[in-house]
Amino acid sequence: MSHQDEISLTGLDGANPLGFFAALGCLHLLDAHANEHGHPAPRLSWRNVGTWQAILHDVPDMATIVERLVAAIPLVQQEPILEFAYDADGQRTKPSAEKAQRELKPVPETMRQFFAELMDDPEKRTGLDLLEALVTEVGTDRSGRVKPSALHFLAGQQRFLTAASSLCQGVDQGQIQRALVGPWNPDSELPTFSWDSSVTRLYALRADDPSHGRNKKLCEPGAEWLALCGLRCFASAPVAGRIQTTGISGSWKSGRFSWPLWEDPAGIREVRALLRLDELHNLGADKRKAIGILALCTCGIQRSDQGGYGSFQPANIS
């Protein structure tokens, strides 16, 4: 199959964290397909056309791109982390067990055992990338439970793994295509991870829980699903007893997320290396230009006092 020089993903705005994560997810899934079938590795760049548009390079036509992404849905459904569950005491249990908790906050020993399980099983080892983006087996909260990534914005009755599983079961071809080409029209009651900076609805500013009833937040499922896949490009690590997430600085309650938009087409490995540059948000304009960064985006992170619901503020771009 012939490959095109480039294809614009007109639906994905790199200045919106959800659009940025979704572009990374698209790149990851297409790269995995290329590796398996001996195709050229896809690459990603960004272009300012009024919005920061994602550009794919060395890829087939849009219809084939969507077809390959849809074919990956069952593979994502089998991610080991989506089968992770624990009981009220933080001990491992089956997802189908009564009162099983589908979250990322067990006791540390349970998470250590899960990491070891994936490392020891060659068929599950690829799942470590996504697991390491979401959680560590060391960092804990005040109650002694594992503390998840700073990109974990859900709280209250919302459970991250329940949301991820529902999304993977419910997303379809039309939603994935709309995410890529736009325009977005959030109209689905499938779960959202609250990464869309164009939609800010903090629980602290509301009289009711936005995860319930008529006020439930609607989402763009294709973008949310791709964004979940894109988290592999990030990592969480314990630093001085606290968890640190790629691109995140500041405190848990009032942090910020910084990410680059680059000019030269980059493969998935180059993207991961770029995202993990030390002190990326402190690089001056000259240094950014020297390594091909067109713009640096920074979003404030807000968390409510009631439960810790998180959201991104609109990005500042420099």
Side-chain angles (χ1 to χ4, degrees):
M1 180 176 293
S2 62
H3 282 64
Q4 301 186 22
D5 290 338
E6 63 177 47
I7 284 188
S8 298
L9 303 182
T10 51
L12 300 184
D13 181 0
N16 184 336
L18 181 58
F20 182 71
F21 295 160
L24 300 184
C26 183
L27 181 66
H28 159 70
L29 294 172
L30 294 177
D31 182 79
H33 184 279
N35 284 339
E36 182 178 355
H37 294 87
H39 298 153
R43 296 174 296 154
L44 174 68
S45 67
W46 301 91
R47 184 174 300 150
N48 188 355
V49 293
T51 60
W52 285 96
Q53 200 168 94
I55 311 294
L56 283 177
H57 305 259
D58 300 320
V59 290
D61 58 88
M62 180 62 75
T64 304
I65 289 173
V66 173
E67 178 183 303
R68 291 178 181 178
L69 295 176
V70 171
I73 293 175
L75 301 178
V76 180
Q77 290 172 346
Q78 297 170 21
E79 284 284 352
I81 186 59
L82 297 185
E83 291 297 312
F84 184 74
Y86 52 92
D87 60 23
D89 295 324
Q91 304 297 320
R92 187 84 175 275
T93 190
K94 294 181 179 179
S96 58
E98 185 178 2
K99 297 183 179 180
Q101 298 188 28
R102 307 296 313 286
E103 248 299 356
L104 297 166
K105 303 174 183 179
V107 296
E109 181 58 29
T110 298
M111 189 56 73
R112 279 193 288 270
Q113 292 171 357
F114 187 55
F115 267 93
E117 176 186 320
L118 267 58
M119 291 180 69
D120 292 341
D121 187 337
E123 294 185 0
K124 295 182 178 180
R125 199 171 294 158
T126 56
L128 281 169
D129 282 349
L130 184 54
L131 180 60
E132 289 174 343
L134 295 171
V135 71
T136 76
E137 71 276 37
V138 178
T140 58
D141 60 19
R142 293 177 181 177
S143 65
R145 293 296 186 99
V146 168
K147 194 174 184 67
S149 159
L151 294 172
H152 185 299
F153 285 178
L154 306 186
Q157 297 301 311
Q158 301 170 336
R159 300 287 185 265
F160 190 94
L161 297 180
T162 300
S165 296
S166 297
L167 190 64
C168 289
Q169 293 293 331
V171 71
D172 62 33
Q173 178 173 337
Q175 292 164 341
I176 291 174
Q177 178 159 339
R178 188 172 73 181
L180 296 180
V181 303
W184 288 8
N185 179 32
D187 57 3
S188 172
E189 291 191 1
L190 283 171
T192 172
F193 299 115
S194 296
W195 294 327
D196 187 349
S197 64
S198 70
V199 180
T200 299
R201 260 192 346 166
L202 271 180
Y203 181 58
L205 304 179
R206 300 177 55 83
D208 52 8
D209 185 336
S211 68
H212 293 295
R214 63 178 183 175
N215 291 315
K216 184 173 182 179
K217 186 188 296 183
L218 301 180
C219 80
E220 192 68 49
E224 300 273 352
W225 179 75
L226 287 168
L228 175 66
C229 299
L231 287 191
R232 293 176 180 274
C233 293
F234 296 84
S236 294
V239 178
R242 301 180 63 182
I243 188 169
Q244 184 169 313
T245 304
T246 301
I248 303 289
S249 57
S251 67
W252 177 261
K253 288 293 294 288
S254 182
R256 64 180 184 269
F257 172 52
S258 300
W259 70 99
L261 302 174
W262 54 92
E263 180 176 20
D264 296 329
I268 191 69
R269 291 156 192 80
E270 291 81 10
V271 169
R272 285 178 174 173
L274 183 60
L275 291 175
R276 298 178 188 186
L277 281 176
D278 288 339
E279 298 295 322
L280 180 63
H281 59 280
N282 286 331
L283 287 180
D286 290 342
K287 288 186 177 180
R288 295 205 302 265
K289 184 177 180 181
I291 58 177
I293 296 177
L294 289 173
L296 186 67
C297 304
T298 301
C299 276
I301 297 174
Q302 292 180 302
R303 295 186 192 273
S304 70
D305 293 328
Q306 297 146 316
Y309 291 93
S311 67
F312 285 119
Q313 297 175 317
N316 291 317
I317 303 174
S318 59

